[in-house]
Amino acid sequence: MKVRIGVDVGGTNIVCGVVSPGGLLIQKIKQPTETARGSEYVLGKIAGIIRQAVELAGLTMEDVECVGVGTPGLVDPSSGVTVFAGNLGWHNVPVADILSRHLNLPVKVDNDVRMYVLGEAVRGAGRGYKHVLGITVGTGLAAAFVEDGRLFYGSRSMAGELGHICFNEIPYVCSCGLTGCLETVASATGLVRQALTRLQDGADSSLRGLLRADGSPSEGLTAAAIAEAYDAGDSLAIEIMNNTGVLLGKGLAYAITLFSPDCVVIGGGVAAAGERLLQPMKEQIRRSVLPQYDINTAIVTAELPDDAGVIGSSIYASSRLN
Amino acid sequence: MKVRIGVDVGGTNIVCGVVSPGGLLIQKIKQPTETARGSEYVLGKIAGIIRQAVELAGLTMEDVECVGVGTPGLVDPSSGVTVFAGNLGWHNVPVADILSRHLNLPVKVDNDVRMYVLGEAVRGAGRGYKHVLGITVGTGLAAAFVEDGRLFYGSRSMAGELGHICFNEIPYVCSCGLTGCLETVASATGLVRQALTRLQDGADSSLRGLLRADGSPSEGLTAAAIAEAYDAGDSLAIEIMNNTGVLLGKGLAYAITLFSPDCVVIGGGVAAAGERLLQPMKEQIRRSVLPQYDINTAIVTAELPDDAGVIGSSIYASSRLN
C-alpha cells in the first residue's frame, strides 16, 4: 500500500506529513510559510518539504499515492484552486495544477477547516461516530459536517459558515459586512473585541493593565490573557467567557437541530480555553435543543489539534482519487 | 418500465397515486383516512386504494415496481416503522411490513415532510437545482435538504427540525417543552396563537370579532382569516404577518448559511399567505446572510402542493430498491 501526503498551509507555517493508508502520521515537517515571497515560491517550497519528508520516512516518491492540501479561505475543491485566502495573499492560485507539475502526483485541494474537521472525524475525537459536526474556534469560526467519512459541501462548497449566522444581541460589524455575526464574538479576535469594548465602556478589570496609555489594546490583550484573568477571578473575563459560551452554544444548537450530528468536535486555538468556554456553551445547548438531540449528541474537544489538518488532507486526497 | 405507487397518509385524508418512472402522476385517488378505526384498518384500506388506482390507470399489479409511503411524525426509514404519529394515533406501526404483506411488493416508508420536499426538489419548484432546501409551513414547521435527488437525514433521521430552533424574542412554550421554538410562531397555529395573545393584550383589530364572548377563539380565527384581515388593512394582521415573516426569514437565514442550498422551496398550507408572509421573510433573509448566498439562492414557492408528497414517496421508494 502506498502512503499519502497531507499539507496544511497556514499564514505562519506549512505543516507537511506522510500518512499511512490507515491514517497514521508517519513523518511530519513544519516550516515557516514565508507568504511574502508569493504563491509560486511557497508552492515550490511545499514540493521540497514533501520530498524531504518522504525521504526522512525512509521512502521514495514512488511510494506516494497522492497529495492533499488544505489552505485557508475560499477554495474550489473541484478545480483545486484557492480562490481567495486573505492571510496568504492568494487570489485564484491553481494550487493543484502547480503542485502536481512539481511532483508528478495527483494533488487535491480544499479548505483547511474542512480538512481539519475531516481529520478529527475520521482519526480524532469523532472516530467511531457516523455523523460528525466539527467546528474550529480560532482567528475565525467555521464548521464542517462529515457523514461516513464524507464531507458535506452544499452549493459552491459554502456550507457550514457558522461564523456568519447573525444574532440580535451581537452589536459588532463583521468583516463580511453583516452586523451580529457569531464570529465577531466566538473567536480569538472576538474575545479581545469584547474585552476592549467593555474596557472602553469603563468596566472594572485587571485587563485594563493591558491597554496602552491612549486606550488602545497592547499586544498582551489576547484570548490567553483573558483566560488567565478568568482563572484569577476577574469579573469582566468571566462575563466575556460566559457570554461567548452562551452565544456559541446558541449557534451550535441551531447547527445540531439542522444537521443532527451524533458527535460535535470543538477544535481550534480558542478550544484551549477549555471548560471556561465549554461549560456555558454546553449548558446553553442543553437549554436550546430538543431532548432527543441533547441525549444523543456527544460534545467533545479535538484530539489531534496539531495534526488534524495534515491527516484530514491526506484522507481527502485519497478519497478523491478514481 | 414499471410504475411506482406513492401514498401520502394525513390525519384527514389518504392520497394514493400511480407515478411513471419519469415522476409524472398518472392516476390519483383521495379518500378519508378514518384514523379512529386504527392502523390495521387504515393500512388495509390503503392496500385497497392502491389496487383500485392501478386498475383505474389501466394497469395490473404486475406493472408496479414498488410502493412509497409518507406518514406524519417520527419515522424510521430503515425499518419502515412509523414510531410516533400523534395525529394518526400511531405508535410503532410497522407500515412497510404490513403493506408489503397485503400487496406482495417492496414498501418503503418515510416522514411526509421529507417525501413532500423530495417531490418538490425532483419534480416541482426545485427541479434543475442540485441543492434544495424545502420547508413546509402548515400545522407545524419542518425542513428537509435534498442533494442530487438524495435526502439528507443526519443521525436518527432527525435533521431539519427547523420548527424547533429557538429565538429569544419568541415567548411561547412549544409542545416539545422548549420555549421560543420557531414553529410556535411560523405555522398556521402560530399565526392564530399570536393573534389571540395580542387580542387578549387589548390590541385593536377586526379579528376581535372572531373571539367568543368569554375571550376564547372561535373556529373562525384561522390563518386564512388573518390573511383576509391583512388584505383589509387591519394593523394587527399586518403586524403578525410581518413578525412571522421576519422570524421565518431569520430561521431560513441560519439554514441557508449552514446548508448552502441553491434553491429554497416554501410549501405547506401557510405558503398560501403568499407575499404577505414571503416579502418580509425574503427581506429578512437578505439582511441576514452573506451576499454570496443572497445572490445565488433562489427562493420559490412549491409547485405541486397537492401532489408533491405522493410523487416524492414514489421516487423515494424506487431509489431505495436493491
Side-chain angles (χ1 to χ4, degrees), chain A residues 131 145 147 152-156 158-162 164-169 176 178 250 254-255 257-262 287-293 296-297, chain B residues 131 145 147 152-156 158-162 164-169 176 178 250 254-255 257-262 287-293 296-297:
Chain A
H131 307 86
F145 187 81
E147 182 173 341
F152 181 89
Y153 284 92
S155 178
R156 289 151 288 119
M158 274 195 58
E161 288 287 355
L162 183 68
H164 298 283
I165 69 171
C166 298
F167 288 90
N168 279 353
E169 55 264 58
C176 75
L178 294 172
K250 284 188 183 185
Y254 295 151
T257 303
L258 292 171
F259 283 119
S260 190
D262 37 29
R287 280 193 295 270
S288 308
V289 298
L290 294 173
Q292 294 95 317
Y293 296 119
N296 294 299
T297 310
Chain B
H131 307 86
F145 188 81
E147 181 173 342
F152 181 90
Y153 284 91
S155 178
R156 288 152 289 118
M158 273 194 60
E161 288 286 355
L162 183 68
H164 298 283
I165 69 172
C166 297
F167 287 90
N168 279 353
E169 56 263 57
C176 75
L178 294 173
K250 284 188 184 185
Y254 295 150
T257 303
L258 292 172
F259 283 119
S260 190
D262 37 29
R287 280 192 295 270
S288 308
V289 298
L290 294 173
Q292 294 94 316
Y293 297 119
N296 294 299
T297 311

Side-chain angles (χ1 to χ4, degrees), chain B residues 247-269:
Chain B
L247 288 165
L248 188 56
K250 284 188 184 185
L252 276 176
Y254 295 150
I256 290 169
T257 303
L258 292 172
F259 283 119
S260 190
D262 37 29
C263 177
V264 179
V265 180
I266 316 291

Side-chain angles (χ1 to χ4, degrees), chain A residues 8 15 25 28 115-116 119-120 304-313:
Chain A
D8 189 7
V15 187
L25 192 56
K28 185 170 79 169
M115 298 301 88
Y116 179 99
E120 282 291 341
L304 316 163
D306 292 337
D307 302 332
V310 168
I311 294 173
S313 300

Side-chain angles (χ1 to χ4, degrees), chain A:
Chain A
M1 291 279 274
K2 291 188 164 191
V3 296
R4 295 109 187 221
I5 305 296
V7 184
D8 189 7
V9 187
T12 310
N13 289 305
I14 297 160
V15 187
C16 168
V18 179
V19 183
S20 78
L24 291 174
L25 192 56
I26 300 170
Q27 185 71 45
K28 185 170 79 169
I29 295 180
K30 185 172 176 174
Q31 289 199 9
T33 311
E34 300 181 274
T35 51
R37 302 183 74 162
S39 59
E40 281 285 348
Y41 173 84
V42 173
L43 291 169
K45 179 169 183 169
I46 288 172
I49 303 173
I50 289 171
R51 292 183 188 282
Q52 197 185 339
V54 169
E55 196 176 320
L56 278 174
L59 301 168
T60 72
M61 293 303 283
E62 301 292 306
D63 297 312
V64 179
E65 182 189 41
C66 56
V67 177
V69 182
T71 83
L74 190 60
V75 178
D76 178 1
S78 59
S79 62
V81 170
T82 297
V83 178
F84 175 69
N87 60 346
L88 298 177
W90 291 9
H91 283 265
N92 291 316
V93 175
V95 174
D97 280 358
I98 296 175
L99 262 188
S100 65
R101 229 181 300 134
H102 277 293
L103 297 165
N104 203 21
L105 280 171
V107 178
K108 306 292 173 183
V109 186
D110 202 345
N111 169 272
D112 58 353
V113 171
R114 283 197 286 265
M115 298 301 88
Y116 179 99
V117 171
L118 182 62
E120 282 291 341
V122 175
R123 294 292 315 170
R127 209 172 48 247
Y129 291 99
K130 191 171 150 75
H131 307 86
V132 179
L133 177 71
I135 67 167
T136 58
V137 200
T139 317
L141 171 66
F145 187 81
V146 176
E147 182 173 341
D148 282 330
R150 284 188 311 276
L151 281 157
F152 181 89
Y153 284 92
S155 178
R156 289 151 288 119
S157 304
M158 274 195 58
E161 288 287 355
L162 183 68
H164 298 283
I165 69 171
C166 298
F167 288 90
N168 279 353
E169 55 264 58
I170 299 180
Y172 306 110
V173 178
C174 183
S175 58
C176 75
L178 294 172
T179 297
C181 287
L182 184 52
E183 177 173 286
T184 66
V185 167
S187 60
T189 44
L191 290 169
V192 171
R193 178 182 288 114
Q194 292 175 82
L196 192 60
T197 306
R198 294 282 287 112
L199 288 169
Q200 285 167 346
D201 285 353
D204 182 32
S205 164
S206 64
L207 294 169
R208 188 166 295 281
L210 299 172
L211 293 184
R212 295 209 178 85
D214 66 355
S216 68
S218 73
E219 280 179 9
L221 186 56
T222 61
I226 296 169
E228 241 174 76
Y230 178 105
D231 293 342
D234 183 85
S235 63
L236 177 60
I238 293 171
E239 176 198 317
I240 290 169
M241 284 291 181
N242 280 339
N243 183 50
T244 305
V246 164
L247 289 166
L248 187 56
K250 284 188 183 185
L252 275 176
Y254 295 151
I256 290 170
T257 303
L258 292 171
F259 283 119
S260 190
D262 37 29
C263 177
V264 179
V265 180
I266 316 291
V270 177
E275 288 304 308
R276 304 176 190 94
L277 192 67
L278 300 184
Q279 196 199 321
M281 182 197 84
K282 288 179 192 168
E283 282 172 10
Q284 184 60 44
I285 292 173
R286 196 167 306 129
R287 280 193 295 270
S288 308
V289 298
L290 294 173
Q292 294 95 317
Y293 296 119
D294 181 39
I295 294 164
N296 294 299
T297 310
I299 299 178
V300 296
T301 44
E303 282 179 10
L304 316 163
D306 292 337
D307 302 332
V310 168
I311 294 173
S313 300
S314 74
I315 293 171
Y316 170 77
S318 176
S319 75
R320 287 283 164 130
L321 293 181
N322 51 41

